[in-house]
Amino acid sequence: IKFQTRVNAVEYDADGKKWLLKSTSGEEFQGRYCVMATGTLSSVNKPKFAGLDQFKGDWYVTGRWPHEGVDFSGKTVGIIGTGSTAVQAIPVIAKEAKHLTVFQRTANYSIPAKNRALMSGEVEEIKSRYPDIRTEARSNRAGIASMKPGMNSAMAVSKSERIEEYQRRWDEGGTGFTAAYSDIGINDASNFTAAEFVREKIRETVLNSKTAELLAPTNTIGCKRLCADTDYYETYNRDNVTLLDVNVDPIKGLVEEGIQTENNVYEFDIVIFAIGFDAMTGALLSMNITGKDGIQLGDIWSDGPKSYLGLSMAGFPNLFTITGPGSPSVLSNMMTSIEQHVEWIRDCLDYMETGGHREIEAKTSAEENWTNHVEEIAGDTLRYTCNSWYVGANIPGKKRVFMPYAGGIPTYREKCDEVAASGYGGFEIS
């Protein structure tokens, strides 16, 4: 284990059949196999606003939050973004700050998290069922044992029955809300019923009607990451919180005093950027990975990521990606998906070593077929109906391609097991 070490070059030595890694400090490492467990949401989307160096106050990026924390007491604070991290941060900051101004581009759906302290009996019951819970997670579409997917279409039941089920899931809390009915993610009419329920909850909660409408999303529910919160919408009823729409008054950049929009200058002591991550591909591309014949991963992925099973890429022998593009990844419980990938790679390496093999590489045809399949599955859902980080829309210039596999964990696991059982079909082994 190497701490305080940043890898900035990864190159395959075809003659020696090994991977060579270099760090920013000049250290070099090598190995026959290279496993990229770099995380799907680990490459922070850095702020690119003009005038950052002119701002006289302090500014922070949520993905690089200082370990010592930030004191907001008596401070005027501006936060840019209303995604998952901002939804969690805004209620906490609002309790401390003198005034908090939220700059929103797109309203997001958020469901109450319903976090609470567990009773000792509940903890004991959960611990006694750990093996069963893990098994249930592996067989669940999203890899979440507690998520109970509805089997009916939302349009196959009465309105009163739908409202009752949505209310039950709202009271239960968490992102299992959109699993209430089987077709919320694929049918516009069914999706609208779930979306409208949440919009009505926002209107009931937020006292100022104009603010409530600004917070009510207009896109399909689930096309962006569904958020879970504690008192997010309630926070906008505080006297020290203001919500601004940057679609009406776009941000031009930062100035000495704070944030400048087209029509105003807002003075702040602290500015926070909650603008997300370069999801799924950012960490991999930042390491300058070079495969056989000098091919660059950045060039291969210039029109969007391609992979076989989200585990391997043609032209990059003995290189594996944990929860890479083309796998369930961020559409699932990450721990369940990570565990499945780790076990698959472990078994693959055992197969290679015991069989006396030296190289395993995804075939181009298998990679193309799988990438097309991932796109086809996504196209059958409503996930393409809005701009999200699932398609890289939050990164300027990034190709708009739906990156995770939307077919669910059980189907995906079955395919991976089938490939392994066939002697790793779709791979070239030597």
Side-chain angles (χ1 to χ4, degrees):
I1 298 174
K2 292 284 295 183
F3 295 105
Q4 304 299 324
T5 305
R6 183 174 295 276
V7 174
N8 65 344
V10 180
E11 185 175 352
Y12 189 64
D13 174 7
D15 294 331
K17 291 182 170 43
K18 58 187 177 184
W19 282 96
L20 308 175
L21 288 74
K22 295 181 181 180
S23 74
T24 52
S25 61
E27 291 179 286
E28 297 186 3
F29 312 90
Q30 58 180 275
R32 179 178 297 180
Y33 306 101
C34 189
V35 180
M36 292 296 179
T38 48
T40 52
L41 294 173
S42 56
S43 181
V44 173
N45 185 17
K46 298 176 182 177
K48 299 178 179 63
F49 293 92
L52 271 177
D53 56 343
Q54 298 178 30
F55 178 51
K56 296 301 184 182
D58 297 320
W59 61 268
Y60 304 94
V61 180
T62 52
R64 290 285 183 265
W65 203 251
H67 289 285
E68 64 274 15
V70 178
D71 183 7
F72 294 106
S73 56
K75 303 291 179 63
T76 55
V77 183
I79 184 168
I80 299 173
T82 51
S84 181
T85 304
V87 160
Q88 296 170 68
I90 285 167
V92 177
I93 296 170
K95 290 177 182 178
E96 300 179 18
K98 178 182 179 181
H99 195 277
L100 174 64
T101 302
V102 179
F103 293 83
Q104 174 183 278
R105 180 185 61 183
T106 306
N108 279 294
Y109 294 94
S110 190
I111 310 298
K114 299 292 183 179
N115 289 326
R116 61 180 177 82
L118 296 176
M119 305 297 289
S120 59
E122 292 177 288
V123 175
E124 290 171 6
E125 194 274 334
I126 290 170
K127 286 186 174 181
S128 71
R129 291 191 61 244
Y130 267 160
D132 293 336
I133 290 171
R134 300 305 299 278
T135 300
E136 290 167 14
R138 287 192 288 270
S139 62
N140 179 271
R141 178 183 177 85
I144 303 173
S146 61
M147 183 180 288
K148 307 302 179 187
M151 305 308 292
N152 296 323
S153 162
M155 308 313 294
V157 300
S158 65
K159 180 178 180 180
S160 61
E161 186 175 339
R162 279 199 306 270
I163 296 296
E164 184 178 347
E165 176 63 12
Y166 289 147
Q167 184 64 53
R168 185 185 72 79
R169 294 199 176 233
W170 182 270
D171 293 338
E172 185 180 73
T175 55
F177 178 84
T178 49
Y181 293 99
S182 61
D183 58 351
I184 288 175
I186 58 176
N187 181 283
D188 283 313
S190 296
N191 189 282
F192 179 84
T193 65
E196 189 60 16
F197 179 88
V198 177
R199 286 191 284 262
E200 284 301 320
K201 285 295 183 184
I202 296 169
R203 292 166 185 139
E204 290 174 12
T205 304
V206 181
L207 301 179
N208 184 296
S209 59
K210 289 181 65 176
T211 302
E213 287 307 312
L214 194 55
L215 288 167
T218 57
N219 52 19
T220 55
I221 188 169
C223 67
K224 288 196 170 197
R225 187 185 195 186
L226 190 62
C227 302
D229 74 89
T230 300
D231 297 331
Y232 176 63
Y233 295 116
E234 290 83 351
T235 295
Y236 291 95
N237 292 329
R238 299 177 63 98
D239 292 335
N240 69 328
V241 176
T242 302
L243 179 66
L244 299 177
D245 184 1
V246 301
N247 298 292
V248 173
D249 190 13
I251 296 173
K252 293 183 66 177
L254 273 68
V255 291
E256 285 190 12
E257 303 92 330
I259 295 175
Q260 181 177 8
T261 64
E262 284 192 356
N263 301 319
N264 296 284
V265 172
Y266 297 91
E267 297 185 11
F268 297 115
D269 299 309
I270 297 173
V271 172
I272 298 168
F273 298 96
I275 52 179
F277 301 85
D278 187 353
M280 303 198 71
T281 61
L284 293 167
L285 294 178
S286 70
M287 288 185 287
N288 302 306
I289 302 174
T290 305
K292 291 195 314 185
D293 303 319
I295 60 172
Q296 299 281 329
L297 185 63
D299 293 336
I300 299 297
W301 281 6
S302 61
D303 287 327
K306 300 176 183 178
S307 78
Y308 183 36
L309 303 175
L311 280 160
S312 180
M313 290 86 70
F316 299 85
N318 296 353
L319 180 77
F320 300 94
T321 53
I322 304 287
T323 61
S327 72
S329 184
V330 293
L331 298 183
S332 69
N333 175 352
M334 290 301 297
M335 299 309 293
T336 306
S337 284
I338 289 168
E339 182 180 67
Q340 184 259 329
H341 266 194
V342 168
E343 291 177 349
W344 191 95
I345 293 170
R346 174 203 63 195
D347 293 344
C348 179
L349 297 189
D350 183 60
Y351 175 88
M352 293 290 291
E353 293 299 302
T354 57
H357 305 296
R358 299 195 65 188
E359 278 188 327
I360 180 168
E361 177 188 349
K363 294 180 180 177
T364 301
S365 58
E367 179 181 80
E368 289 177 351
N369 289 338
W370 183 255
T371 300
N372 290 337
H373 175 62
V374 170
E375 182 79 4
E376 181 182 355
I377 293 293
D380 290 336
T381 73
L382 299 175
R383 293 190 180 274
Y384 255 135
T385 60
C386 67
N387 289 322
S388 70
W389 57 256
Y390 292 143
V391 298
N394 62 319
I395 304 297
K398 191 169 182 176
K399 183 74 172 181
R400 195 174 187 274
V401 174
F402 195 83
M403 293 181 282
Y405 175 70
I409 283 183
T411 302
Y412 175 79
R413 178 186 290 271
E414 184 179 330
K415 174 62 178 178
C416 289
D417 291 346
E418 175 190 306
V419 167
S422 69
Y424 296 91
F427 287 93
E428 196 75 52
I429 298 177
S430 60

